Amino acid sequence: MTYNEVLDKRSIAVSTSESPDMPGLGLHKEHLRDAMTEIARHTLALGAKLVYGGDLRADGFSNLLFELAARYRRDTDSRNKLGVTNYLAWPVHILQKAEQLDQAAADLEGTAELRLLDIDGRDIDLKERHKLETHQPTEPEWAKGLSAMRHTMLAETHARIILGGRVDKFKGDMPGIAEEALYSLQAKQPLYVMGGFGGCARDVAEAIGVLEPNGVREWPGREKFNSFRGRKLNNGLSPEENRVLASTPYVDQAIVLILRGLTKAKLGSQGGMTA
C-alpha cells in the first residue's frame, strides 16, 4: 500500500552542532541529540527527506540521522525513497580513504545516501573518488569546498532548520550554521531558527531582529545579516511564532511550530519560495 504524506517530495535541510551556550543553559550534547531526534522523527514521519552536510564520525549527527531513517522507512509514492541525504564536502571526504567511503555507502544502501562533492560543489561518484589522492586540505580548500557544498544543498532543498552551532573553531569563512542561514535568507528559502540551545542560531535570530540582542557576540560575517532585519522568514509562521521558536527551551513546543510552519509555507520549489 502506498500513500502520500504532507511533506512528501520535500527535502528539508537541518543545520546543527554543539553550542557554546549550552552549559550555561543547563544543557548537554544529549539534549541536542534528543532535539535532532525529535525533528527527524516528525519530519520523516510526514514524508520529508532530511538533508545534512556532515562527516561520518561515529558519534556525529550524520549517524544519528542514518539510524532514524532506517527506523522510519516508509512506503510512499514519493520519488524520495531514501530518508536522508548526507553531503560530504570536498575537504571532508578527501581526508578519508576511498575504501572507507565505499563501505559507508554500502552500509547505507536502501536507507540513506552519501553525496560526495568536488571543490566546486559538483557530484563525484565513488569510482572517480578512487582516482583522487587522500590528503590534508588547505584552509582555502576548506573555505571553498564548504561554501560550494552549502550552495548545492540550498539548490536541492525546500526549507532549512537551524539549531545550536559553534561560533569559533570553525572551518571556512564564517560559522557553518551562519553561512547556511545566510544563503537561505538570500534565496528567500523558508528558514526555521530554533534558538533555545543558544549558539549561532540564537545569534542569527538576534541579528535579523527576531529577538532583541542580549549583548552582541561578534564572529566573522555577522554584519551580513543586518540587511535582513525585519524581513519575513517565508516560513509560514507569524512574527510572534518565530519569536517563540527562537527563544523557547522546550523542544516539543519548537517542533509544533516547525511542523506548523512547514505545512503552511510555500515549499513548491527547491532553493527558495514558489512564485
Side-chain angles (χ1 to χ4, degrees):
M1 179 179 178
T2 60
Y3 57 92
N4 286 316
E5 294 288 1
V6 67
L7 295 180
D8 197 32
K9 299 182 182 179
R10 300 294 182 264
S11 296
I12 311 299
V14 183
S15 305
T16 190
S17 64
E18 290 184 57
S19 157
D21 301 324
M22 287 168 56
L25 296 170
L27 299 171
H28 304 282
K29 185 176 181 179
E30 290 74 18
H31 294 105
L32 190 59
R33 290 179 66 87
D34 288 345
M36 278 287 286
T37 297
E38 289 304 298
I39 291 170
R41 186 169 69 87
H42 285 88
T43 50
L44 286 170
L46 290 177
K49 174 190 280 189
L50 293 180
V51 177
Y52 188 67
D55 55 32
L56 300 177
R57 73 187 77 177
D59 62 345
F61 290 106
S62 293
N63 280 339
L64 173 64
L65 293 177
F66 297 153
E67 293 169 8
L68 292 167
R71 191 183 308 171
Y72 290 98
R73 288 182 67 181
R74 60 208 180 277
D75 180 22
T76 74
D77 288 328
S78 172
R79 66 175 179 268
N80 294 337
K81 296 299 182 183
L82 303 176
V84 171
T85 295
N86 191 98
Y87 287 84
L88 293 178
W90 167 265
V92 173
H93 70 74
I94 204 65
L95 282 166
Q96 298 179 270
K97 294 181 179 179
E99 292 76 14
Q100 293 175 309
L101 299 170
D102 287 339
Q103 186 60 57
D107 291 343
L108 295 172
E109 187 173 359
T111 299
E113 68 171 337
L114 294 182
R115 293 272 300 276
L116 278 63
L117 303 178
D118 69 12
I119 198 165
D120 295 311
R122 295 184 293 260
D123 282 291
I124 299 176
D125 63 30
L126 285 169
K127 288 184 179 180
E128 185 178 356
R129 177 61 182 80
H130 274 268
K131 301 175 184 177
L132 301 173
E133 184 177 349
T134 298
H135 68 269
Q136 182 70 39
T138 64
E139 287 301 317
E141 281 182 291
W142 275 108
K144 184 175 182 180
L146 289 172
S147 294
M149 176 195 71
R150 289 162 184 156
H151 277 297
T152 298
M153 290 176 65
L154 174 70
E156 299 182 2
T157 54
H158 298 89
R160 180 175 293 279
I161 302 166
I162 64 172
L163 65 157
R166 61 176 57 91
V167 292
D168 61 3
K169 299 180 181 178
F170 53 85
K171 298 289 188 180
D173 293 329
M174 61 192 300
I177 285 179
E179 187 170 39
E180 290 166 353
L182 182 64
Y183 291 169
S184 291
L185 290 168
Q186 290 171 339
K188 297 184 179 180
Q189 181 186 67
L191 176 66
Y192 300 88
V193 183
M194 187 173 168
F197 289 84
C200 192
R202 171 82 187 203
D203 288 358
V204 167
E206 294 179 358
I208 62 177
V210 173
L211 297 176
E212 289 298 318
N214 183 19
V216 176
R217 175 167 47 197
E218 296 295 342
W219 33 261
R222 180 164 179 154
E223 73 284 352
K224 295 181 180 180
F225 289 87
N226 293 339
S227 62
F228 294 98
R229 289 189 65 84
R231 294 196 190 180
K232 293 181 179 180
L233 297 182
N234 305 309
N235 63 7
L237 298 178
S238 69
E240 175 60 19
E241 287 171 328
N242 275 306
R243 186 194 66 77
V244 174
L245 176 60
S247 58
T248 182
Y250 302 112
V251 172
D252 288 349
Q253 185 179 28
I255 296 295
V256 168
L257 289 168
I258 290 170
L259 296 181
R260 181 184 301 167
L262 286 171
T263 56
K264 291 172 64 178
K266 297 179 180 179
L267 302 181
S269 63
Q270 294 172 320
M273 292 184 65
T274 55

